[in-house]
Amino acid sequence: MNYELYYWPTIQGRGEFVRLVLEEAGASYLDVARMSGKGAGMPALLRFLDGRGAARPPFAPPFLKAGRLVIGQTANILQFLAPRHGLAPKDEAGRLWTQELQLTMADFLVEIHDTHHPVAAGLYYEDQKKEARRRAADFLDSRAPKFLGYFERVLAKNARGKRYLAGARLTYADLSMFQIIAGLSYAFPRSMAAAARKYRRLFTLHARVQERPRIAAYLASRR
Ligand SMILES: N[C@@H](CCC(=O)N[C@@H](CS)C(=O)NCC(=O)O)C(=O)O
C-alpha cells in the first residue's frame, strides 16, 4: 500500500512518530505537505482540515491516508499501521499494553510541549519565556522524573527480556520512546545528559533504535 502522511512541513512534531514506523517498516509513503505540485503541499493538508478532503475529517495533523481510509490521532494511526508491518505484539494483551504505553507517551508529549508554550499553544515561545522558565523548572523537577522513572521501570519489568518496552520484539512504542528521548535531549541538553546516567535502560533503548539499519538510513537521509 502507498501511504500518504499529512503533517506540518517544517517541524518534526507528532508527524515524526508516524514517520518512524513507516521508515522502520520500509513502507512506501508520501510526505504530502513537504511536496510541491498539484495535490500536494500545504493546500492538500488544509483541504482535509477544512472538511473538503474527507467525509470523516481529522481535527489536526498528523493524519494518514491509506487507500480510502483517512486516519487521525497519532496513537490511532500507529495502532493501525504497526500490526500491518510486524511492529506490534500479536496477542490482545500485548497490543493493549503497547497502546497503553503509547497513550502515556502522548500525555508526556503534551507536558513536554507545554514547557515551551505554557500560556498558549498559539503564541510564540518568545512571547511566554517567563512562564516557560517556571513551567520547565517544575517539569524537570517532578514531571519528567515521574514519566521517565515509570518507563524505566516498564523496561526493567518486561518479563520477555529487557530490550524493548513490550514483549520480546521491537514495537511502535519503542520507536516513539526513541523520539521522546531525542526530543527531550534537544530541548533540555544539560538535564538529559544527567538523566542518561539515571535512566540507563531508556537511553540504551534510544541507542538501540538509532542503530537499526532502516532508522539509521532515515536519520542520515534528507527526509
Ligand atoms: N491528540 C492529537 C493531537 C494532534 C495535535 O495537537 N496536532 C498539532 C500538531 S502536533 C496541531 O496541529 N494542533 C492544532 C490544534 O490543536 O489546533 C494526536 O496525538 O495526534
Side-chain angles (χ1 to χ4, degrees), residues 133-178:
R133 196 169 296 123
R134 281 190 71 192
R135 183 70 185 252
D138 177 72
F139 172 79
L140 292 171
D141 279 352
S142 68
R143 299 302 290 172
K146 184 165 183 180
F147 278 102
L148 293 172
Y150 168 74
F151 286 112
E152 181 80 4
R153 282 198 305 282
V154 167
L155 275 170
K157 278 179 75 77
N158 184 352
R160 307 276 310 281
K162 318 278 179 240
R163 291 170 66 82
Y164 301 112
L165 284 165
R169 299 175 57 180
L170 182 90
T171 68
Y172 62 99
D174 300 306
L175 296 169
S176 293
M177 183 49 73
F178 161 80

Side-chain angles (χ1 to χ4, degrees), residues 21 24 30 32 60 64 93-94 96 103 111 125 138 160-161 195 197 206 219-221:
V21 167
E24 175 61 29
L30 302 174
V32 178
L64 184 82
L96 285 168
L103 290 168
E111 296 200 25
Y125 164 64
D138 177 72
R160 307 276 310 281
R197 291 190 288 278
H206 170 267
L219 295 175
S221 77

Side-chain angles (χ1 to χ4, degrees), residues 47-66:
R47 262 188 90 240
F48 283 92
L49 294 187
D50 70 19
R52 280 177 297 141
R56 294 169 171 156
F59 174 71
F63 49 92
L64 184 82
K65 196 159 178 294

Side-chain angles (χ1 to χ4, degrees), residues 7-8 11 13-15 49 59-62 72-75 77 106 109-110 121:
Y7 192 69
W8 306 118
I11 56 171
R14 288 182 176 86
L49 294 187
F59 174 71
Q73 291 286 351
T74 309
I77 299 169
L109 190 70
V110 171

